[in-house]
Amino acid sequence: MKKTPKYIFVTGGVASGLGKGITTASLGRLFKSRGVHVALQKLDPYVNVDPGTMNPFEHGEVFVLDDGAETDLDLGHYERFTDENLHRGSNLTTGAVYSAVISKERRGDYLGKTVQVIPHITDEIKERVRSHAEAENADLVIVEVGGTVGDIESLPFIEAIRQLRNEVGRDHCAFVHVSLMPFIGPSGELKTKPTQHSVKELRSLGIQPDAIVCRSDRPIGRHLKEKVSLLCDVPISGVISAPDAESIYTVPLVLHREGLDRELAQHLGIGAEPDLSEWNALVERIDAAADPVRVAIVGKYVNLRDAYLSVIEALHHGGFHHGVDVDLAWVSSDDLDQADASVVLAGIDGIVVPGGFGWRGVEGKLEAVRYAREEGVPYLGLCLGLQCAVIEFARDVCGLEGANSSEFDPGTLHPVIDLLPEQKNVTDLGGSMRLGAQPCHVAPGTMAAAAYGEQVVYERHRHRYEVNPAYHDVLTQHGLVFSGLSPDGRLVEIIELRDHPFFVAGQFHPELKSRPTRPHPLFRDFVGAARGRRARGDTADAAARSVVIPG
């Protein structure tokens, strides 16, 4: 018999960036802890088909799934909190909806009807939500509606979920609204008016929230909850205080203590009680992690931390495992190109060069790689970080003067990094890279093998360029270790150096598969190596050597 799923829709008001994604992910964890089979989905109102062609400064990182879907960064939160792998149906954009509807119209599927936002666009949205529930065989689907209530581009999604509630029944659908409750300094008060206006806007569109998550910089008391309950027509048990948290991983416990999952479970007729023992243990480890380890992230998008969100979280996951507090130092690769790496990176316990595109900042990244290699500083390269490590090794160890990637210097005499042959005739940028989970055969006796403990692993990719096979021999002859290869041996997946505390880089994005309760093996061992460097006092020695004493 076909399963009838239940739905929770999460909307946001007043301002973006309040934490709808964390709220959605937290609800996913809380209901999974109740033994409910949960599926999560993000509806994004932008007209791009997916975020794959968007500048990181515009949108933050692109989160790639196993099936190669390029998705919104909130899906990273969903995977990390629920420890479940998502797929292409988990993210839906206005661009994808309109593209599908226009394709149907061109085929004549609408039998000559005038194609309109209602019912055709809204029907497509509802169908995508329902089909996702069916594909996942879910008991409960938690759907985040991107944007802010009142935005013109969000209106079709809001209308679609309003219609869906009427179709599935009110006892099968709940609405959660995340809203800002700002603190006004001069008057010393938290103000409910923005939330009132946001809920009024939502209600004008036909949606009455069943719970309101009040985001603020401090807890809200009973008096303010009563006020919001009265003026927004929500039971006081559905008014949830969600103050800023030191760690996002404490948010599920905060919402649980406030009774959000209990309120929604009662509304939806879900009777099981949650088992939060694993998550409580995680938060205890986070609270206990006090010893500092300082890690530098050398990149060109350091002014927007969301561009490296999964890298940040994966490093913290490694810290949770080792009981250390990973302190991040943000180093602009543009600045490092003009500076002395031994000065800028003094006192650093580990260096990460993350992914990226384009030539800008690459020379600074090469300086960071050289410093890590020569000074024995633990190094982890991610995608472009592997390519930079190969370029630096080719120049400074193999003696290939001017070695480069053909992406950065098409005229280089030594293109040690080159375009994949299958990429040479690609004209469309969107969705055309090497994407998704790909197999990697790990060489025995290597750092990578010690980290993974497996002979074959699957890692998520997002790139066009690879280590040029024409240079494989010269690189390995000079000591570069290819510790991971594609099944046919043609593509280099992992490199490392012998006689180095930890120097490993992957052509993939391991950060995308890291979980707070299961850190990715490469991040786990990298943080462990950085911790070892700190414990040995190597960091202090390096900092002392970098000080120039006047003669």
Side-chain angles (χ1 to χ4, degrees):
M1 191 171 72
K2 190 175 181 180
K3 183 182 290 186
T4 303
K6 300 175 188 291
Y7 299 89
I8 295 174
F9 293 99
V10 180
T11 59
V14 183
S16 61
L18 292 181
K20 291 195 308 298
I22 298 296
T23 300
T24 303
S26 297
L27 286 172
R29 163 53 63 171
L30 291 171
F31 278 99
K32 181 181 178 181
S33 298
R34 290 175 178 262
V36 177
H37 186 189
V38 179
L40 293 101
Q41 189 176 40
K42 174 76 183 288
L43 309 181
D44 274 310
Y46 47 75
V47 183
N48 305 64
V49 173
D50 60 44
T53 59
M54 296 168 74
N55 190 314
F57 283 123
E58 287 265 340
H59 195 257
E61 75 172 5
V62 174
F63 193 83
V64 180
L65 307 182
D66 278 349
D67 62 6
E70 296 175 286
T71 69
D72 183 81
L73 59 82
D74 277 323
L75 273 73
H77 291 311
Y78 302 169
E79 286 203 347
R80 287 186 284 270
F81 276 62
T82 63
D83 198 8
E84 300 284 349
N85 291 331
L86 304 180
H87 62 78
R88 191 174 300 275
S90 303
N91 198 191
L92 177 63
T93 69
T94 293
V97 171
Y98 272 82
S99 178
V101 169
I102 290 169
S103 294
K104 289 178 181 179
E105 184 272 332
R106 293 289 83 188
R107 290 197 304 266
D109 291 3
Y110 298 121
L111 303 176
K113 294 284 188 181
T114 301
V115 178
Q116 297 175 290
V117 173
I118 303 173
H120 301 98
I121 297 298
T122 52
D123 281 353
E124 182 69 24
I125 295 169
K126 289 185 294 182
E127 172 57 28
R128 296 295 187 98
V129 174
R130 289 178 185 274
S131 62
H132 181 58
E134 186 175 349
E136 293 288 330
N137 194 30
D139 301 314
L140 174 66
V141 185
I142 306 176
V143 182
E144 176 189 352
V145 181
T148 306
V149 170
D151 294 345
I152 191 168
E153 59 264 30
S154 299
L155 292 177
F157 291 104
I158 298 295
E159 172 61 18
I161 65 175
R162 182 198 68 79
Q163 294 176 15
L164 192 60
R165 182 175 197 174
N166 287 335
E167 293 171 10
V168 301
R170 292 179 179 270
D171 58 342
H172 277 70
C173 183
F175 293 121
V176 176
H177 190 58
V178 181
S179 182
L180 177 66
M181 191 173 287
F183 179 78
I184 307 301
S187 64
E189 293 180 293
L190 284 164
K191 290 295 186 181
T192 66
K193 193 62 72 176
T195 294
Q196 293 177 45
H197 282 296
S198 181
V199 172
K200 181 181 179 181
E201 179 73 22
L202 190 62
R203 294 172 72 180
S204 75
L205 300 173
I207 292 178
Q208 169 63 44
D210 300 293
I212 300 174
V213 176
C214 300
R215 288 285 293 110
S216 57
D217 66 347
R218 65 203 66 203
I220 66 174
R222 175 79 182 185
H223 171 69
L224 287 176
K225 287 187 176 183
E226 289 174 346
K227 187 174 182 181
V228 172
S229 172
L230 176 66
L231 297 172
C232 297
D233 196 22
V234 172
I236 193 167
S237 56
V239 180
I240 307 300
S241 174
D244 295 344
E246 288 190 12
S247 169
I248 60 174
Y249 300 111
T250 65
V251 175
L253 301 182
V254 170
L255 297 182
H256 176 66
R257 285 196 298 268
E258 283 287 305
L260 178 59
D261 58 316
R262 181 174 61 251
E263 182 75 13
L264 296 172
Q266 290 175 353
H267 178 93
L268 297 171
I270 297 172
E273 289 298 315
D275 177 6
L276 294 170
S277 55
E278 181 185 38
W279 208 257
N280 279 312
L282 168 67
V283 172
E284 288 174 4
R285 288 201 304 276
I286 294 172
D287 291 340
D291 295 336
V293 167
R294 192 155 174 78
V295 172
I297 296 179
V298 182
K300 67 177 182 178
Y301 307 120
V302 295
N303 291 326
L304 181 69
R305 308 294 161 82
D306 275 358
Y308 302 119
L309 183 59
S310 290
V311 177
I312 296 169
E313 295 306 318
L315 287 168
H316 287 312
H317 300 165
F320 303 160
H321 177 84
H322 290 285
V324 296
D325 180 21
V326 177
D327 178 23
L328 299 178
W330 294 93
V331 179
S332 169
S333 55
D334 290 323
D335 297 340
L336 194 58
D337 186 19
Q338 307 296 325
D340 184 347
S342 65
V343 173
V344 176
L345 298 173
I348 293 297
D349 302 309
I351 296 171
V352 174
V353 172
F357 296 91
W359 61 268
R360 185 173 64 81
V362 167
E363 294 299 323
K365 294 177 182 180
L366 296 181
E367 274 300 295
V369 173
R370 181 194 59 77
Y371 178 79
R373 180 178 59 79
E374 293 180 347
E375 298 297 326
V377 180
Y379 174 80
L380 180 61
L382 312 172
C383 197
L384 178 60
L386 174 141
Q387 297 176 6
C388 288
V390 170
I391 294 169
E392 191 277 332
F393 191 88
R395 290 181 184 180
D396 299 335
V397 178
C398 300
L400 301 177
E401 186 176 351
N404 214 326
S405 167
S406 58
E407 178 186 7
F408 313 137
D409 180 9
T412 179
L413 295 176
H414 297 292
V416 291
I417 306 295
D418 201 7
L419 197 64
L420 291 166
E422 55 267 33
Q423 290 283 333
K424 291 189 183 291
N425 296 318
V426 170
T427 55
D428 289 348
L429 297 181
S432 58
M433 287 184 274
R434 186 183 180 209
L435 292 165
Q438 308 286 342
C440 167
H441 287 243
V442 182
T446 60
M447 289 185 190
Y452 282 109
E454 298 179 48
Q455 294 181 339
V456 180
V457 296
Y458 288 81
E459 294 286 3
R460 297 177 182 179
H461 291 248
R462 184 174 184 256
H463 61 99
R464 299 184 192 279
Y465 290 78
E466 294 275 358
V467 179
N468 190 338
Y471 290 88
H472 284 190
D473 287 345
V474 67
L475 291 168
T476 55
Q477 286 166 8
H478 282 82
L480 191 65
V481 178
F482 294 167
S483 52
L485 294 169
S486 61
D488 61 5
R490 183 172 71 101
L491 304 178
V492 176
E493 297 283 7
I494 308 173
I495 64 165
E496 59 185 66
L497 293 178
R498 296 189 182 92
D499 303 322
H500 192 286
F502 188 93
F503 192 104
V504 179
Q507 184 55 80
F508 40 80
H509 290 272
E511 68 272 19
L512 301 179
K513 297 191 76 171
S514 188
R515 307 286 189 260
T517 53
R518 291 188 301 108
H520 189 281
L522 296 185
F523 279 90
R524 181 198 64 213
D525 286 10
F526 167 74
V527 173
R531 178 194 185 194
R533 176 177 172 81
R534 167 72 64 165
R536 291 191 304 271
D538 296 348
T539 304
D541 294 342
R545 290 198 302 273
S546 71
V547 177
V548 178
I549 302 176

